[in-house]
Amino acid sequence: MRKFLLLNAVLFSLTARAQTDSLKWVKEINEQVWKPFITHLVSGNKTAFSAVHSKRITRVEIDRGVLLDFEKYFPPADTTSSIKKKKPDWVFELRFDKRISNGVKAWESGYYKGTVKEEGKNTRSYYGRFFVVLEKENGTWKILVDADTGKDANEENFSKAFAMEPKQ
């Protein structure tokens, strides 16, 4: 009985430590990757958006069967275009079903929802399912692999996943 209680105490302390570390990494990842990712994606700042990705990125467009490296995913901006279109209001949200990290690498998966509001048009939303591998480079989290698909991506699954910010 004593061995059983001792084993449970050891396992409980290890689990509590792992949860504390995991929460720390989730917060770091949110601050270093996901918050800037959303901000720069929505604002259209391609340079800043690319900066949250590793130069060794592999972008996987699952539904199209396409693999892209950094140069293909982030081609040089077209500076010759002078036409400025009014951008619609756009909201982008992430929700997660898995967040696993050891402090150096991380696997995260979940769903995203984009909502577009254009003047004179109905508001529309779209959904996707994402899978990412993140890695720390020089102390900063970067997206190393980014894959997404439309399969099983809908309001129901998006709503079931948990919010980016963990509950305290």
Side-chain angles (χ1 to χ4, degrees):
M1 181 68 164
R2 245 186 250 198
K3 288 180 184 179
F4 177 75
L5 291 174
L6 180 61
L7 179 62
N8 277 340
V10 169
L11 289 175
F12 178 77
S13 67
L14 290 174
T15 302
R17 170 68 192 257
Q19 288 176 343
T20 302
D21 288 347
S22 183
L23 184 59
K24 173 187 169 193
W25 296 320
V26 163
K27 288 179 180 180
E28 279 184 7
I29 291 167
N30 287 349
E31 293 301 320
Q32 294 175 14
V33 176
W34 297 123
K35 288 179 181 180
F37 178 99
I38 292 169
T39 298
H40 303 312
L41 178 68
V42 170
S43 72
N45 185 337
K46 293 177 184 176
T47 302
F49 180 71
S50 71
V52 300
H53 297 78
S54 171
K55 297 287 185 197
R56 299 176 296 121
I57 182 78
T58 298
R59 170 76 174 121
V60 185
E61 296 178 4
I62 296 169
D63 298 339
R64 291 183 41 213
V66 174
L67 292 171
L68 305 170
D69 62 11
F70 190 89
E71 288 73 28
K72 295 276 194 240
Y73 189 30
F74 301 109
D78 178 8
T79 57
T80 62
S81 177
S82 61
I83 300 172
K84 295 280 185 186
K85 291 177 23 178
K86 184 177 189 280
K87 289 184 180 180
D89 288 334
W90 185 27
V91 176
F92 191 82
E93 303 169 72
L94 295 172
R95 295 182 69 85
F96 297 83
D97 56 8
K98 293 280 187 253
R99 299 188 88 175
I100 303 166
S101 177
N102 65 8
V104 178
K105 290 191 179 207
W107 162 267
E108 300 195 334
S109 62
Y111 297 88
Y112 61 83
K113 175 182 181 181
T115 304
V116 180
K117 300 174 188 175
E118 289 186 81
E119 195 173 314
K121 295 184 178 180
N122 289 334
T123 299
R124 63 187 192 281
S125 294
Y126 61 91
Y127 299 88
R129 176 117 170 86
F130 68 88
F131 309 91
V132 297
V133 174
L134 302 115
E135 185 175 60
K136 272 196 175 174
E137 294 180 358
N138 300 317
T140 303
W141 288 100
K142 300 283 183 175
I143 299 171
L144 183 63
V145 177
D146 179 7
D148 65 8
T149 181
K151 185 174 175 14
D152 299 324
N154 54 47
E155 175 69 37
E156 180 183 358
N157 287 336
F158 176 80
S159 297
K160 284 184 201 174
F162 54 90
M164 181 170 67
E165 296 294 339
K167 292 182 181 175
Q168 301 296 324

